[in-house]
Amino acid sequence: NAGVTQTPKFRILKIGQSMTLQCTQDMNHNYMYWYRQDPGMGLKLIYYSVGAGITDKGEVPNGYNVSRSTTEDFPLRLELAAPSQTSVYFCASSPQRYEQYFGPGTRLTVT
Amino acid sequence: DQQVKQNSPSLSVQEGRISILNCDYTNSMFDYFLWYKKYPAEGPTFLISISSIKDKNEDGRFTVFLNKSAKHLSLHIVPSQPGDSAVYFCAASAVLGNEKLTFGTGTRLTIIP
């Protein structure tokens, strides 16, 4: 049981490039989330999903897109990367309301 | 608008003593509160939670207290151990939109041996 896995662990992007951050969970959780954490800040919700085919915006969705075609996977797409998207990105899943299980994070630098 | 606030960015405590981490919230619709612990280069892990129908929840060395009238909660760790050194995040869930959590900015706890 791997829990929540994220790839890659680290990535450096040039301004204007695109990439997809992968997130997979093997716990059959309905709810999945993407957060970003900037230095000295809490976790800000980017997008979330309450089930396959259903996604919704969080607090800071601009510059990102998501899809949820399966229960297990919830990729986060960055289009036209900007320096403001330099951050650590965490994916999480939850079987219901409340407790969320987090992946190890992806550290992204945009230069 | 920071709805969940952790006003102490850092805290240092002697090993064996009590660590008290504080959290304030402004949204009266929050009815469930959680504490997460985060080590460097890892994702946050769930520590303990409390429903608004309670004022205290205990799990081993960890106790969370909730004061609804003051919109304040605290996490007590007794006795503190070196492995408790981490960043602690307070999070809250509202009755509406309850699939989402709102996080505080975190408090870095350092346990001094």
Side-chain angles (χ1 to χ4, degrees), chain A residues 31 33 35 37 40-45 48 50 57-59 90 97-105 107, chain B residues 1-2 31-32 34 36 38 41-46 89 93-95 98-106:
Chain A
Y31 300 135
Y33 308 84
Y35 294 90
Q37 186 192 10
M41 303 296 288
L43 288 89
K44 301 287 187 184
L45 183 64
Y48 67 101
V50 299
K57 295 178 181 178
E59 192 179 350
F90 291 102
R97 187 187 175 188
Y98 309 140
E99 184 181 336
Q100 296 180 12
Y101 298 80
F102 284 81
R107 185 175 294 275
Chain B
D1 176 30
Q2 190 72 26
D31 70 336
Y32 199 84
L34 307 90
Y36 280 83
K38 184 182 180 305
E42 294 184 11
T45 55
F46 170 74
F89 291 99
S93 172
V95 175
N98 59 28
E99 63 278 1
K100 295 181 286 187
L101 294 178
T102 301
F103 284 84
T105 52

Coordinates of all heavy atoms in Angstrom, one line a residue, chain A residues 31 33 35 37 40-45 48 50 57-59 90 97-105 107, chain B residues 1-2 31-32 34 36 38 41-46 89 93-95 98-106:
Chain A
Y31 N -12.0 11.6 -2.7 CA -11.6 13.0 -2.7 C -10.1 13.1 -2.9 O -9.3 12.4 -2.3 CB -11.9 13.7 -1.3 CG -13.4 13.8 -1.0 CD1 -13.8 13.5 0.3 CD2 -14.4 14.1 -1.9 CE1 -15.1 13.5 0.7 CE2 -15.7 14.2 -1.5 CZ -16.1 13.9 -0.2 OH -17.4 13.9 0.1
Y33 N -6.9 16.3 -3.8 CA -6.6 17.7 -3.7 C -5.2 18.0 -4.2 O -4.3 17.2 -4.1 CB -6.7 18.1 -2.2 CG -7.9 17.7 -1.5 CD1 -8.1 16.4 -1.0 CD2 -9.0 18.6 -1.3 CE1 -9.2 16.0 -0.3 CE2 -10.1 18.2 -0.7 CZ -10.2 17.0 -0.1 OH -11.4 16.6 0.5
Y35 N -2.4 21.1 -3.5 CA -2.1 22.3 -2.7 C -0.7 22.8 -3.2 O 0.1 22.0 -3.7 CB -1.9 22.0 -1.2 CG -3.2 21.6 -0.5 CD1 -3.6 20.2 -0.5 CD2 -4.0 22.5 0.1 CE1 -4.7 19.8 0.2 CE2 -5.1 22.1 0.8 CZ -5.5 20.8 0.9 OH -6.6 20.4 1.5
Q37 N 2.6 25.1 -1.4 CA 3.1 25.7 -0.2 C 4.3 26.6 -0.5 O 5.3 26.1 -1.0 CB 3.5 24.6 0.9 CG 3.9 25.3 2.2 CD 4.6 24.4 3.2 OE1 4.9 23.3 2.8 NE2 4.7 24.8 4.4
G40 N 7.2 29.9 4.3 CA 6.6 30.6 5.4 C 5.1 30.7 5.4 O 4.4 31.4 6.2
M41 N 4.5 30.0 4.4 CA 3.0 30.1 4.3 C 2.4 28.7 4.5 O 3.1 27.7 4.5 CB 2.7 30.5 2.8 CG 3.3 31.9 2.5 SD 2.7 33.2 3.4 CE 1.0 33.4 2.8
G42 N 1.1 28.7 4.7 CA 0.4 27.5 4.8 C 0.1 26.9 3.5 O 0.6 27.3 2.5
L43 N -0.7 25.8 3.5 CA -1.0 25.2 2.2 C -2.2 25.9 1.6 O -3.3 26.1 2.2 CB -1.3 23.7 2.4 CG -0.1 22.8 2.8 CD1 0.1 22.8 4.3 CD2 -0.4 21.4 2.3
K44 N -2.1 26.2 0.3 CA -3.2 26.9 -0.4 C -3.8 25.9 -1.4 O -3.1 25.2 -2.2 CB -2.7 28.1 -1.2 CG -2.0 29.2 -0.3 CD -3.0 29.9 0.5 CE -2.4 31.1 1.2 NZ -3.4 31.8 2.1
L45 N -5.1 25.7 -1.4 CA -5.8 24.8 -2.2 C -5.9 25.3 -3.7 O -6.3 26.4 -3.9 CB -7.2 24.5 -1.7 CG -8.0 23.4 -2.4 CD1 -7.3 22.0 -2.3 CD2 -9.4 23.4 -1.9
Y48 N -9.5 20.7 -6.4 CA -9.9 19.5 -5.8 C -10.9 18.7 -6.6 O -11.5 19.2 -7.5 CB -10.4 19.7 -4.3 CG -11.7 20.5 -4.3 CD1 -12.9 19.8 -4.0 CD2 -11.8 21.8 -4.4 CE1 -14.1 20.4 -3.9 CE2 -13.0 22.5 -4.3 CZ -14.1 21.8 -4.0 OH -15.3 22.5 -4.0
V50 N -14.1 15.6 -6.1 CA -14.8 14.7 -5.2 C -15.1 13.4 -5.8 O -15.8 12.5 -5.1 CB -16.1 15.4 -4.7 CG1 -15.8 16.7 -4.0 CG2 -17.1 15.7 -5.9
K57 N -12.5 24.4 -8.5 CA -11.4 25.3 -8.2 C -11.3 25.5 -6.7 O -12.3 25.5 -5.9 CB -11.7 26.7 -8.8 CG -11.6 26.6 -10.3 CD -11.9 28.0 -10.9 CE -11.9 28.0 -12.4 NZ -12.3 29.3 -13.0
G58 N -10.1 25.6 -6.2 CA -9.8 26.0 -4.9 C -9.5 27.5 -4.7 O -10.1 28.3 -5.5
E59 N -8.6 27.8 -3.9 CA -8.3 29.2 -3.5 C -7.4 29.9 -4.6 O -7.6 31.1 -4.9 CB -7.6 29.2 -2.2 CG -7.5 30.6 -1.5 CD -6.8 30.4 -0.2 OE1 -6.6 29.3 0.3 OE2 -6.4 31.5 0.4
F90 N 1.8 19.8 -3.2 CA 1.4 18.5 -2.5 C 0.0 18.1 -3.0 O -0.9 18.8 -3.2 CB 1.2 18.8 -1.0 CG 2.5 19.0 -0.3 CD1 2.9 20.3 0.1 CD2 3.4 18.0 0.0 CE1 4.1 20.5 0.7 CE2 4.6 18.2 0.7 CZ 4.9 19.5 1.0
R97 N -15.1 13.3 4.3 CA -14.7 14.6 4.9 C -13.6 14.4 5.9 O -13.4 13.3 6.5 CB -15.9 15.2 5.6 CG -15.7 16.6 6.1 CD -16.9 17.0 7.0 NE -16.6 18.3 7.5 CZ -17.4 18.9 8.4 NH1 -18.5 18.4 8.8 NH2 -17.1 20.1 8.9
Y98 N -12.9 15.4 6.2 CA -11.9 15.5 7.3 C -10.5 15.1 6.9 O -9.9 15.7 6.1 CB -12.3 14.7 8.5 CG -13.7 15.1 9.0 CD1 -14.6 14.1 9.5 CD2 -14.2 16.3 9.0 CE1 -15.8 14.4 9.9 CE2 -15.5 16.7 9.4 CZ -16.3 15.7 9.9 OH -17.6 16.0 10.3
E99 N -10.0 14.0 7.5 CA -8.6 13.7 7.4 C -8.1 13.4 5.9 O -8.7 12.6 5.2 CB -8.3 12.4 8.2 CG -6.8 12.0 8.3 CD -6.6 10.8 9.1 OE1 -7.5 10.5 9.9 OE2 -5.6 10.1 8.9
Q100 N -7.1 14.1 5.6 CA -6.4 14.0 4.3 C -5.1 13.4 4.4 O -4.3 13.6 5.3 CB -6.3 15.4 3.6 CG -7.7 16.0 3.3 CD -7.6 17.3 2.6 OE1 -6.6 17.7 2.1 NE2 -8.7 18.0 2.6
Y101 N -4.7 12.5 3.4 CA -3.5 11.9 3.4 C -2.6 12.5 2.3 O -3.1 12.6 1.1 CB -3.6 10.4 3.1 CG -4.4 9.6 4.1 CD1 -5.8 9.7 4.1 CD2 -3.8 8.9 5.1 CE1 -6.5 9.0 5.1 CE2 -4.5 8.2 6.1 CZ -5.9 8.3 6.1 OH -6.6 7.6 7.0
F102 N -1.4 12.9 2.6 CA -0.6 13.7 1.7 C 0.5 12.9 1.0 O 1.0 12.0 1.7 CB 0.0 14.9 2.4 CG -0.9 16.0 2.7 CD1 -1.8 16.0 3.8 CD2 -1.0 17.1 1.8 CE1 -2.7 17.0 4.0 CE2 -1.9 18.2 2.1 CZ -2.7 18.1 3.1
G103 N 0.8 13.3 -0.2 CA 2.0 12.7 -0.8 C 3.3 13.5 -0.4 O 3.2 14.4 0.4
P104 N 4.4 13.1 -0.8 CA 5.7 13.6 -0.4 C 6.0 15.0 -1.0 O 6.9 15.7 -0.5 CB 6.7 12.6 -0.8 CG 6.1 11.9 -2.0 CD 4.7 11.9 -1.7
G105 N 5.3 15.4 -2.0 CA 5.5 16.7 -2.6 C 6.4 16.7 -3.8 O 7.2 15.8 -4.1
R107 N 8.9 19.6 -5.6 CA 9.5 20.9 -5.5 C 9.7 21.5 -6.9 O 10.5 20.9 -7.7 CB 10.8 20.9 -4.8 CG 11.4 22.2 -4.5 CD 12.6 22.1 -3.6 NE 12.3 21.6 -2.3 CZ 11.9 22.4 -1.3 NH1 11.8 23.7 -1.4 NH2 11.6 21.9 -0.1
Chain B
D1 N -7.7 37.2 3.2 CA -8.3 37.0 4.6 C -7.9 35.7 5.1 O -8.3 34.6 4.6 CB -9.8 37.1 4.4 CG -10.5 36.9 5.8 OD1 -9.8 37.2 6.8 OD2 -11.6 36.4 5.8
Q2 N -7.0 35.7 6.2 CA -6.5 34.5 6.8 C -7.5 34.0 7.8 O -7.6 34.6 8.9 CB -5.1 34.8 7.4 CG -4.4 33.6 7.9 CD -3.8 32.8 6.8 OE1 -3.5 33.4 5.7 NE2 -3.6 31.6 7.0
D31 N -16.4 23.7 11.9 CA -16.9 22.8 12.9 C -16.1 21.6 13.1 O -16.4 20.7 13.9 CB -18.4 22.4 12.6 CG -18.4 21.5 11.4 OD1 -17.5 21.5 10.6 OD2 -19.4 20.7 11.3
Y32 N -14.9 21.6 12.5 CA -14.0 20.4 12.7 C -12.6 21.0 12.5 O -12.3 21.7 11.5 CB -14.3 19.3 11.7 CG -13.8 18.0 12.1 CD1 -14.5 17.2 13.0 CD2 -12.6 17.5 11.6 CE1 -14.0 15.9 13.4 CE2 -12.1 16.3 12.0 CZ -12.8 15.5 12.8 OH -12.3 14.3 13.2
L34 N -8.2 20.1 12.7 CA -7.2 19.1 12.7 C -5.9 19.7 12.9 O -5.6 20.9 12.6 CB -7.2 18.4 11.3 CG -8.6 17.9 10.8 CD1 -9.3 18.9 10.0 CD2 -8.3 16.6 9.9
Y36 N -1.8 18.9 11.8 CA -0.9 18.1 11.0 C 0.5 18.4 11.4 O 0.8 19.5 11.8 CB -1.1 18.4 9.5 CG -2.3 17.8 8.8 CD1 -3.6 18.3 8.9 CD2 -2.1 16.6 8.1 CE1 -4.7 17.7 8.3 CE2 -3.2 16.0 7.5 CZ -4.5 16.6 7.6 OH -5.5 15.9 7.0
K38 N 4.6 18.2 10.0 CA 5.3 18.1 8.8 C 6.8 18.1 9.1 O 7.3 19.1 9.6 CB 4.9 19.2 7.8 CG 5.6 19.1 6.5 CD 5.2 20.2 5.6 CE 6.0 20.0 4.2 NZ 7.4 19.9 4.3
A41 N 11.0 18.0 3.7 CA 11.0 17.1 2.5 C 10.0 16.0 2.6 O 10.1 15.0 1.9 CB 12.4 16.6 2.2
E42 N 9.0 16.1 3.4 CA 7.9 15.1 3.5 C 6.5 15.9 3.4 O 6.5 17.1 3.7 CB 7.9 14.3 4.8 CG 9.2 13.4 4.9 CD 9.1 12.6 6.1 OE1 8.0 12.5 6.8 OE2 10.2 12.0 6.5
G43 N 5.5 15.1 3.1 CA 4.2 15.7 3.1 C 3.7 15.7 4.6 O 4.1 15.0 5.4
P44 N 2.7 16.6 4.8 CA 2.1 16.7 6.2 C 1.4 15.3 6.5 O 0.9 14.6 5.7 CB 1.0 17.8 6.0 CG 1.4 18.6 4.9 CD 2.1 17.6 3.9
T45 N 1.5 15.0 7.8 CA 0.8 13.8 8.3 C -0.2 14.2 9.4 O 0.1 15.0 10.2 CB 1.7 12.7 8.8 OG1 2.6 13.3 9.8 CG2 2.6 12.2 7.7
F46 N -1.4 13.5 9.4 CA -2.4 13.8 10.3 C -2.0 13.5 11.7 O -1.4 12.4 11.9 CB -3.7 13.1 9.9 CG -4.8 13.1 11.0 CD1 -5.5 14.2 11.2 CD2 -5.0 12.0 11.8 CE1 -6.5 14.3 12.2 CE2 -6.0 12.0 12.8 CZ -6.7 13.2 12.9
F89 N 0.8 22.3 11.5 CA -0.2 23.1 10.9 C -1.6 22.8 11.5 O -1.9 21.7 11.7 CB -0.3 22.7 9.4 CG 0.8 23.2 8.6 CD1 1.8 22.3 8.2 CD2 0.9 24.5 8.1 CE1 2.9 22.7 7.4 CE2 2.0 24.9 7.3 CZ 3.0 24.0 7.0
S93 N -12.3 22.8 8.9 CA -13.3 22.4 7.9 C -14.6 23.0 8.3 O -15.1 23.0 9.4 CB -13.4 20.9 7.9 OG -14.5 20.5 7.0
A94 N -15.3 23.6 7.3 CA -16.6 24.3 7.5 C -17.8 23.3 7.2 O -17.6 22.4 6.4 CB -16.7 25.5 6.6
V95 N -18.9 23.6 7.8 CA -20.1 22.8 7.6 C -20.4 22.8 6.1 O -20.7 21.7 5.5 CB -21.3 23.3 8.4 CG1 -22.5 22.6 8.1 CG2 -20.9 23.2 9.9
N98 N -17.6 21.3 3.0 CA -16.8 20.5 4.1 C -15.8 19.5 3.5 O -15.2 18.8 4.3 CB -17.8 19.8 5.0 CG -18.7 18.9 4.3 OD1 -18.4 18.3 3.2 ND2 -19.9 18.7 4.8
E99 N -15.7 19.5 2.2 CA -14.7 18.6 1.6 C -13.3 19.3 1.6 O -12.3 18.7 1.3 CB -15.1 18.1 0.2 CG -15.2 19.2 -0.8 CD -16.5 19.9 -0.8 OE1 -17.4 19.6 0.1 OE2 -16.7 20.8 -1.6
K100 N -13.3 20.6 1.9 CA -12.1 21.3 1.9 C -11.6 21.7 3.3 O -12.3 21.8 4.2 CB -12.3 22.6 1.1 CG -12.7 22.4 -0.3 CD -12.9 23.7 -1.1 CE -14.2 24.4 -0.7 NZ -14.5 25.6 -1.5
L101 N -10.2 21.8 3.4 CA -9.6 22.2 4.6 C -9.0 23.6 4.4 O -8.4 23.8 3.3 CB -8.5 21.2 5.1 CG -9.0 19.8 5.5 CD1 -7.8 19.0 5.9 CD2 -10.0 19.9 6.7
T102 N -9.0 24.4 5.4 CA -8.3 25.7 5.4 C -7.2 25.6 6.4 O -7.4 25.3 7.6 CB -9.2 26.9 5.8 OG1 -10.3 26.9 4.8 CG2 -8.4 28.2 5.7
F103 N -5.9 25.8 5.9 CA -4.7 25.7 6.8 C -4.2 27.0 7.3 O -4.3 28.0 6.6 CB -3.6 25.0 5.9 CG -3.8 23.5 5.7 CD1 -4.6 23.1 4.7 CD2 -3.2 22.6 6.5 CE1 -4.8 21.7 4.5 CE2 -3.4 21.2 6.3 CZ -4.2 20.8 5.3
G104 N -3.6 26.9 8.5 CA -2.8 28.0 9.0 C -1.4 28.0 8.4 O -1.1 27.1 7.6
T105 N -0.6 29.0 8.8 CA 0.7 29.1 8.2 C 1.7 28.3 8.9 O 2.9 28.2 8.4 CB 1.1 30.6 8.3 OG1 1.0 31.0 9.6 CG2 0.3 31.4 7.3
G106 N 1.4 27.6 10.0 CA 2.3 26.7 10.6 C 3.2 27.3 11.7 O 3.4 28.5 11.7

